[in-house]
Amino acid sequence: MGDTLIRDAAVLRDIAPADAAICAGLARAVGWPHRPEDWEMAIGLGRGVVATLGEEVVATALWWPYGEHHATLGMIIVSPEHQGAGIGRQLMQALFAQAEGRSLLLNATVAGQPLYEKLGFVVCGAIRQFHGEVTTVPVPVLAGGAAVRPAGLADLPVLEQLDQAATGLPRGPLLRAVLEAGEGTVLMRGGEAAGFALLRRFGRGLVIGPVVAADLTDAQTLLAHGLQGRQGQFVRADIEDGSPLGAMLTAAGLKPVDGVNSMVRGRLPRASGPFQRYTLASQALG
C-alpha cells in the first residue's frame, strides 16, 4: 500500500541545468563521485527526467542521442529511501518515449540490471573501472614512425571521424564538450591522425577517455602519454573487462574496482573500423 502511494505521488518533469547541484547530492547518496560540473555537462549534452516527491528530487535518468538511430542511457539514480517503489520503471518508460524508437545502450550496475532485463535489454559486454593515485608513470613508446601532439578544436572533424569508425556512432557534440572541458592528444603517423585520447576533470580527479586507436600498441602509447606528469593525482579509466590495458593501469597504480554489464535494447551500432574505442568518456556517455 505504501509503495503504491509513493509511486503514484512521484511526479516526473524534464531535467534542467539548474538541477545539477541537486543531482550531485543524489549521486553522493548512492556512492557516485559526480560533481555538479559533471552533471552540467551531462545535462547539456542530452535530455532526461527527474522524479519529485513534493519539492524533493528523488530520482534522475538521462539519455544522449547519437544520430537518429541510437542513444545511450545513464545517470539513472533512485534515492535509497525510495527504491523498490516503481520509480525506476517510470523513469525508463519516460526515456523510451523521449528517445523515439532509437536502439538504446547502457552500462548496468548489479542493482539495476534486473529491471533493464525486464524492459528488454540484453547483455552485450562488460566494463571494468580502474582508478587510484598514479604511482608509476609509464614511458610512451612511439612505434612505426608515430608522433604525438596536443589536440585542439580544429581537430574535431577528424576526431569525430576516427571515433565513429570505432563506435559506429556520430558523437561530435560529446567530443567537443570533453575537449573543451579538458585536453587531448592526437597520435600522428605518416602525416595523418592515427588515434587520440581526451582527458578532463571528473569526479574525484581526472578521467582518461575516450581513447581511440587502431591497435593496442597505439592505445598504450596514448594512455601512457595521458598519464605523463600525473604522479600523485587521482585518475580513472573505464575499459572493456579483460582488456590488456588493465595490466598497464595496474602497473601505474590504478586498481580495478566496480564492474558493469553493457546492455542493448534494439540493434548494436555497426563500427566500420579499423579503429577501436579502448576507454570510455564515462560509463553513462559511452
Side-chain angles (χ1 to χ4, degrees), residues 143-164:
V148 294
R149 63 168 177 79
L153 292 178
D155 293 308
L156 281 171
V158 70
L159 300 190
E160 183 176 0
Q161 182 179 9
L162 299 182
D163 186 80
Q164 186 162 354

Side-chain angles (χ1 to χ4, degrees), residues 42-264:
I43 295 168
L45 284 168
R47 295 180 59 188
V49 294
V50 297
T52 61
L53 289 171
E55 298 299 316
E56 182 186 7
V57 174
V58 299
T60 69
L62 282 82
W63 68 282
W64 299 272
Y66 295 136
E68 296 299 318
H69 303 293
H70 290 88
T72 62
L73 311 185
M75 314 293 256
I76 301 166
I77 303 173
V78 178
S79 169
E81 293 83 1
H82 301 290
Q83 291 177 6
I87 295 175
R89 182 179 289 271
Q90 281 184 277
L91 295 171
M92 294 299 292
Q93 295 293 350
L95 297 193
F96 293 165
Q98 290 186 357
E100 297 178 328
R102 289 176 171 86
S103 292
L104 304 175
L105 306 162
L106 59 77
N107 287 306
T109 62
V110 172
Q113 185 169 329
L115 171 62
Y116 305 140
E117 289 175 338
K118 291 175 183 175
L119 294 172
F121 287 85
V122 296
V123 174
C124 58
I127 299 295
R128 176 69 60 178
Q129 178 190 153
F130 283 72
H131 73 209
E133 289 191 4
V134 177
T135 57
T136 303
V137 179
V139 177
V141 177
L142 294 170
V148 294
R149 63 168 177 79
L153 292 178
D155 293 308
L156 281 171
V158 70
L159 300 190
E160 183 176 0
Q161 182 179 9
L162 299 182
D163 186 80
Q164 186 162 354
T167 66
L169 300 170
R171 306 198 305 169
L174 168 64
L175 300 179
R176 174 179 287 276
V178 171
L179 186 55
E180 287 180 339
E183 59 191 75
T185 300
V186 181
L187 180 74
M188 302 293 295
R189 183 175 286 113
E192 295 186 355
F196 69 91
L198 303 182
L199 178 146
R200 72 187 191 282
R201 285 291 313 278
F202 177 86
R204 296 170 58 187
L206 302 167
V207 62
I208 298 180
V211 172
V212 170
D215 57 41
L216 178 63
T217 299
D218 283 352
Q220 290 171 324
T221 297
L222 285 162
L223 195 56
H225 193 273
L227 292 171
Q228 295 302 296
R230 307 296 176 186
Q231 197 163 13
Q233 298 185 44
F234 188 91
V235 174
R236 169 177 174 167
D238 293 278
I239 65 175
E240 287 190 8
D241 199 17
S243 166
L245 288 179
M248 178 182 179
L249 293 168
T250 300
L254 280 62
K255 294 179 175 60
V257 285
D258 297 338
V260 294
N261 280 332
S262 301
M263 305 187 78
V264 63

Side-chain angles (χ1 to χ4, degrees), residues 261-272:
N261 280 332
S262 301
M263 305 187 78
V264 63
R265 184 178 189 263
R267 295 183 179 183
L268 286 168
R270 184 175 300 175
S272 61

